[in-house]
């Protein structure tokens, strides 16, 4: 948009007509409050200005420097603001615009104020826009006639909650609580059923399944060896407790193998398991790092112990049946 805006240029009725070109009646100004309310209060702000219609591109345009009268409570906040809307554009013909020019006004004292006319210089002619017929009536805060004090701004009215407003929240909370209870019940039931299922399995099957979880050399790394040896020995402790009736889960290594003396565990297997448990104690409690060769022997030795002792149990049971 190539309109030339000259700001400020003071235009007044006292200027000679020849300096202003022709003086024309251009209609009325507009006054728009920024706060939409029934009455105008102190410090409310307004847009006061004019609308120039069908202005050709490149037209010289000047707006007046608006200054309130001395001791006037009216204040002008900022410079002119221009908003334009293109209404036509044809080839080889200058575009035409509707232009909205306005100032931001406010008043800090109550009273009735007559707004001034606005002269605008357009292409050498003075267009005079007339102020609204009704003056600006700025109301002060109401005064209590008994105490002669201004009423403060009333606080926001708080209405009691209704059942219709509360019901969705209560229903939602109850639904969430119900879901949480069902989830906890399902988890406990599932865990209990799994434990019962595991207890129903033979001891050697449970032990072999747990040992199989550690069938990877990733557990041989120094930072993983504590988990590796703890998992293997815990599986063997559970098996020994079930197979031989020894409280192996709460016993030390020395106490476990003291109770296993005199059992059907072969001496070679007994010594092999005792060495494995002692090495596990060093890894878990003394920060000992086992070699790869020692780690490679752990699972085969543990599986051999479980299968060998279980096979011995089967042979004992078969011999007892034959005797019967």
């Amino acid at each position: 948009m190539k309109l030339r805006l000259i700001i400020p240029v003071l235009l007044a009725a006292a200027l000679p007509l020849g300096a202003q070109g022709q003086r024309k009646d251009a209609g009325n100004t507009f006054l728009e409050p920024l706060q939409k309310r029934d009455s105008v209060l102190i410090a409310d702000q307004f847009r006061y200005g004019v609308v120039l219609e069908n202005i050709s591109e490149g037209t010289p345009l000047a707006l007046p420097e608006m200054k309130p009268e001395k001791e006037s409570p009216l204040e002008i906040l900022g410079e002119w603001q221009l908003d334009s809307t293109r209404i036509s554009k044809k080839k080889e013909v200058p575009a035409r615009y509707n232009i909205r020019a306005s100032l931001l006004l406010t008043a800090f004292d109550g009273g009735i104020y007559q707004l001034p006319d606005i002269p605008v210089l357009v292409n050498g002619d003075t267009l005079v826009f007339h102020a609204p017929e009704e003056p600006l009536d700025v109301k002060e805060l109401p005064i209590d006639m008994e105490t002669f004090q201004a009423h403060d701004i009333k606080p926001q009215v708080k209405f009691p909650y209704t059942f219709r407003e509360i019901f969705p929240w209560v229903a939602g909370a109850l639904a969430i609580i119900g879901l949480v209870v069902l989830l906890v019940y399902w988890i406990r039931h599932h865990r209990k059923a799994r434990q019962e299922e595991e207890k129903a399995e033979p001891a050697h099957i449970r032990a072999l399944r747990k040992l199989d979880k550690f069938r990877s050399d990733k557990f041989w790394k120094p930072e993983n060896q504590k988990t590796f040896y703890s998992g293997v020995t815990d599986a063997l402790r559970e098996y020994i407790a079930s197979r031989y009736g020894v409280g192996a889960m709460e016993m030390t290594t020395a106490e476990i193998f003291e109770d296993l003396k005199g059992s059907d565990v072969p001496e070679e297997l007994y010594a092999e398991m005792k060495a494995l448990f002692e090495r596990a104690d060093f890894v878990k409690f003394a920060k000992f790092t086992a070699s790869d060769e020692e780690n490679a022997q752990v699972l085969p030795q543990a599986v051999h112990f479980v299968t060998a002792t279980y096979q011995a149990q089967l042979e004992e049971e078969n011999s007892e049946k034959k005797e019967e």
Side-chain angles (χ1 to χ4, degrees), residues 117-191:
D117 295 343
I118 299 178
V120 181
L121 187 63
V122 179
N123 203 18
D125 294 330
T126 301
L127 305 182
V128 180
F129 292 84
H130 300 289
E133 295 181 359
E134 295 185 4
L136 179 62
D137 185 5
V138 179
K139 300 182 181 298
E140 297 181 348
L141 293 175
I143 302 296
D144 189 340
M145 300 306 294
E146 294 183 358
T147 61
F148 294 97
Q149 294 181 355
H151 290 292
D152 197 359
I153 298 175
K154 293 183 178 180
Q156 186 176 3
V157 178
K158 295 183 179 180
F159 295 98
Y161 290 105
T162 63
F163 176 76
R164 181 179 295 180
E165 294 173 331
I166 297 176
F167 177 75
W169 295 96
V170 174
L174 291 176
I176 293 173
I177 293 172
L179 290 175
V180 171
V181 171
L182 289 175
L183 181 62
V184 171
Y185 172 78
W186 181 83
I187 292 174
R188 289 183 176 178
H189 178 74
H190 182 71
R191 185 179 299 171

Side-chain angles (χ1 to χ4, degrees), residues 37-70:
R37 56 180 59 160
D38 296 336
S39 58
V40 178
L41 298 178
I42 293 174
D44 282 352
Q45 296 181 356
F46 308 86
R47 278 283 166 196
Y48 181 55
V50 298
V51 176
L52 304 171
E53 297 181 347
N54 200 21
I55 302 298
S56 177
E57 185 176 6
T59 300
L61 171 66
L63 297 170
E65 182 183 12
M66 303 292 289
K67 294 183 178 179
E69 298 178 0
K70 294 182 179 180

